[in-house]
Amino acid sequence: MCNKIILFLFISNIVFSCNSQDETRRPNIIFLMADDQASYTLGCYGNADVKTPNIDKLSSMGVTFDHNYATTAICMASRATVMTGLLEFRTGTNFLHGPMKQETWDQSYPVLLRQAGYTTAFAGKFGFEIQKETEEKAIMPEADFDAWAGGSAQTSYDTKKNKALLKYSEKYPHSTMAYGAFGSDFIKSSVQKDKPFCLSISFKAPHRPTTPDPRFNAIYKGKTFQKPGNYGREYGEHFSKQSKQGRQYPRFFEWHYNDKYDQVMATYNQQIYGIDQAVGMIIETLKQTGADKNTVIIYTSDNGFFCGSHGYGSKVLPYEESSKVPLIIYDPRHPNSNKGIRSKALTGNIDIAPTILSLAGLNPKEKIDGKNIMPLYNNPNEEIHKTMALINVWGPSETHSLSIVSKDYKYIYWGFADKGYVETEELYHLKNDPLELENVADSPKHKDHLHNLQNDYDERVKSWKAKAVNYNNYERYSTLFDRSISWNEKKSYVYDLEGIYKKKD
């Protein structure tokens, strides 16, 4: 009898030890990011015209976030924010401004995870370069990953133009599927090691030039797509004059949303279908290797896309189609998985890095702007942000803006007021007007909400002044965005397209 009790206790200790190790074992992490993908291009976000079975399946397995924003709706700045959890004026990184400093990159999630023992890989469009203080030339951080198939600038859809993908070029001549193959091989090799892995893939698709994979030509052949309720120029007349400057406005015609809508959207959605197939390839590999039970998958996009809404094309501006992006997180270890749960909490790309770090059991080196999203996985009805800042300091000065978004409202301040322009405020009641069809900034009914967001805005300007990097022309925006300073006091500097501020004549 005594021997039986001893044997029982021995086996119990083994079981308890195994369970404890399984629960505390750090998960593998896969981060997948599209380029220029609007939320409404996915079936799981309510579009019945598209085919995205694998991403929709991921949505049903995990938690889908309905109010997720790119805090800067352009790829270079957004990608820098994703990696660090910092708003643009703290990364100091964007087109026309400059690369990321080494000390900022050193607090990014790929660097911290590798230091903590993760095997790391990156494939696709990296989006920015790293500038060491002792080096004159900024470079790609290839040496900071265990496996690398990344590229500089916009990269190419032609697989063979990326030397790290050459072995996939015959079977997958289009880079979207090649990235999926690279990711699958990395997973297979990583599961052989007694350490967790982090795979990050940034697809070039569906970024222009529109180059869909020919193998999927039949998917949307002859398809007619339903236009959104805010499609066309008549639904953008109430937008500020400032927003109609730069390239977003003419691209409604230049990119043929006006006269070839179905053809343009078929091409755009075909590229996204390619991403969906690559996602399916990665999910299948996880199952085949047994890594699916301990691998967290995160799917998002670097920014959205107008696709003709309000009579605009492209991105950049703080309106919904441009700044709102999909976000899906699947954690197979969590009891809330496989329930098709959605969260209406406000989230953003600033939250990606702290979420990944938290999943790995790590904390950021310094105080960052983002927050860990996983509490929302526990309780989708909780909130981690009351408001969030949306930034544009790229392109012509007229379009530069700082905006504040909450779950229910959005406030946009257009401060450029040189000849022909006036300072303009826009307020949208997103809860009742998700298509942003009515500017209610002058409505007495919404006066309190306007004042609350104005106050929030003013605090954000103070934060910009206190925390902005002292390089790459970011400090001055704490003056240019200040609502209490007159245009006459601001206009001594204007922004040109080469990124240099010059005194006005």
Side-chain angles (χ1 to χ4, degrees):
M1 182 69 177
C2 183
N3 288 337
K4 288 182 178 180
I5 293 173
I6 292 172
L7 180 62
F8 172 78
L9 292 173
F10 177 72
I11 293 173
S12 297
N13 283 334
I14 292 175
V15 172
F16 176 78
S17 175
C18 290
N19 287 341
S20 298
Q21 289 176 10
D22 187 62
E23 289 173 3
T24 59
R25 189 159 50 106
R26 293 183 295 175
N28 307 311
I29 301 167
I30 296 180
F31 175 66
L32 305 173
M33 184 163 66
D35 190 333
D36 289 354
Q37 183 182 9
S39 297
Y40 55 79
T41 59
L42 293 170
C44 57
Y45 277 89
N47 192 335
D49 287 337
V50 299
K51 298 178 181 179
T52 49
N54 295 298
I55 299 173
D56 293 348
K57 177 64 176 177
L58 190 65
S59 171
S60 70
M61 294 191 299
V63 175
T64 304
F65 297 84
D66 289 323
H67 294 280
N68 186 64
Y69 289 85
T71 53
T72 301
I74 189 169
C75 57
M76 183 173 178
S78 180
R79 290 161 190 270
T81 291
V82 163
M83 291 286 192
T84 62
L86 299 171
L87 290 164
E88 181 186 342
F89 62 85
R90 296 187 65 196
T91 70
T93 308
N94 202 351
F95 300 112
L96 308 180
H97 290 271
M100 180 179 287
K101 298 291 186 182
Q102 181 69 50
E103 58 266 28
T104 304
W105 172 244
D106 286 343
Q107 62 177 300
S108 67
Y109 83 76
V111 171
L112 296 179
L113 260 63
R114 196 180 189 209
Q115 289 175 354
Y118 271 73
T119 301
T120 62
F122 181 86
K125 175 180 171 180
F126 196 78
F128 59 93
E129 295 181 327
I130 311 302
Q131 179 76 61
K132 292 185 178 181
E133 188 175 348
T134 56
E135 301 290 336
E136 184 176 338
K137 185 178 179 181
I139 61 170
M140 290 278 103
E142 181 176 350
D144 290 329
F145 294 87
D146 296 293
W148 174 266
S152 59
Q154 294 295 342
T155 67
S156 174
Y157 283 118
D158 188 349
T159 300
K160 65 178 180 291
K161 290 185 178 180
N162 185 332
K163 63 181 181 180
L165 296 176
L166 284 179
K167 68 177 182 178
Y168 306 109
S169 61
E170 185 174 348
K171 187 174 183 180
Y172 303 113
H174 193 279
S175 68
T176 301
M177 293 296 283
Y179 292 137
F182 170 88
S184 294
D185 283 350
F186 174 75
I187 293 167
K188 292 173 186 176
S189 65
S190 295
V191 296
Q192 306 301 321
K193 304 172 184 177
D194 188 24
K195 56 193 301 190
F197 65 81
C198 178
L199 167 65
S200 300
I201 299 180
S202 291
F203 298 98
K204 177 178 173 62
H207 195 287
R208 295 173 77 94
T210 49
T211 313
D213 191 331
R215 73 178 65 203
F216 306 127
N217 280 349
I219 297 299
Y220 295 113
K221 187 176 182 180
K223 175 71 176 177
T224 298
F225 293 88
Q226 182 176 350
K227 296 182 176 71
N230 59 5
Y231 166 84
R233 280 281 162 89
E234 64 270 31
Y235 295 110
E237 292 178 356
H238 59 291
F239 283 2
S240 73
K241 181 178 179 180
Q242 289 90 333
S243 74
K244 295 177 172 64
Q245 311 313 304
R247 66 189 191 183
Q248 285 67 236
Y249 197 60
R251 282 181 170 176
F252 177 70
F253 293 104
E254 292 172 354
W255 288 354
H256 297 287
Y257 293 110
N258 65 310
D259 59 353
K260 297 180 181 179
Y261 184 80
D262 291 330
Q263 179 182 332
V264 172
M265 293 308 296
T267 302
Y268 180 70
N269 286 311
Q270 183 178 333
Q271 292 179 108
I272 294 168
Y273 183 83
I275 296 176
D276 184 82
Q277 296 303 294
V279 171
M281 187 188 305
I282 290 167
I283 292 175
E284 182 60 29
T285 301
L286 288 173
K287 291 179 181 178
Q288 291 173 358
T289 58
D292 57 316
K293 296 177 180 61
N294 193 45
T295 301
V296 178
I297 303 174
I298 301 173
Y299 184 89
T300 191
S301 178
D302 61 348
N303 49 254
F305 224 51
F306 275 109
C307 295
S309 289
H310 303 287
Y312 290 69
S314 197
K315 48 200 175 186
V316 176
L317 302 177
Y319 301 112
E320 290 289 275
E321 290 76 19
S322 174
S323 60
K324 200 171 187 179
V325 294
L327 176 63
I328 301 166
I329 301 178
Y330 169 54
D331 185 344
R333 309 165 302 162
H334 202 286
N336 275 343
S337 293
N338 298 303
K339 295 179 180 179
I341 291 174
R342 305 187 80 93
S343 173
K344 295 187 180 301
L346 184 66
T347 58
N349 60 356
I350 52 173
D351 301 322
I352 297 296
T355 300
I356 291 176
L357 291 173
S358 176
L359 286 165
L362 303 173
N363 294 312
K365 281 186 177 180
E366 299 178 6
K367 186 173 177 58
I368 60 177
D369 300 304
K371 295 183 179 180
N372 176 21
I373 294 174
M374 293 312 290
L376 301 176
Y377 212 107
N378 299 330
N379 183 357
N381 296 318
E382 286 190 3
E383 293 182 348
I384 59 173
H385 298 285
K386 293 291 186 183
T387 62
M388 192 171 295
L390 305 179
I391 298 165
N392 180 47
V393 292
W394 178 88
S397 301
E398 294 89 337
T399 64
H400 294 181
S401 64
L402 178 63
S403 310
I404 306 297
V405 65
S406 69
K407 280 200 309 182
D408 295 338
Y409 283 88
K410 182 188 293 178
Y411 170 76
I412 307 173
Y413 175 74
W414 303 98
F416 188 90
D418 212 350
K419 186 176 180 180
Y421 295 86
V422 294
E423 177 184 340
T424 302
E425 293 178 304
E426 295 179 21
L427 181 70
Y428 296 99
H429 188 195
L430 299 177
K431 183 176 182 179
N432 294 340
D433 180 25
L435 297 179
E436 295 175 311
L437 297 175
E438 182 184 7
N439 177 12
V440 296
D442 295 327
S443 169
K445 180 181 177 182
H446 301 279
K447 182 179 179 180
D448 289 344
H449 295 285
L450 175 64
H451 288 168
N452 289 340
L453 291 185
Q454 286 173 329
N455 290 335
D456 192 307
Y457 176 98
D458 294 340
E459 290 301 313
R460 301 280 182 165
V461 172
K462 291 178 183 177
S463 178
W464 193 304
K465 184 175 183 178
K467 297 178 181 179
V469 297
N470 61 0
Y471 51 84
N472 290 351
N473 288 322
Y474 280 97
E475 290 178 295
R476 67 186 66 247
Y477 285 100
S478 62
T479 297
L480 291 170
F481 289 154
D482 193 328
R483 297 188 311 117
S484 68
I485 299 176
S486 71
W487 177 250
N488 284 333
E489 296 174 87
K490 297 177 183 178
K491 70 177 183 179
S492 58
Y493 291 91
V494 294
Y495 191 71
D496 72 4
L497 292 179
E498 296 175 355
I500 303 170
Y501 278 87
K502 298 178 180 179
K503 286 281 186 180
K504 276 185 68 70
D505 295 333

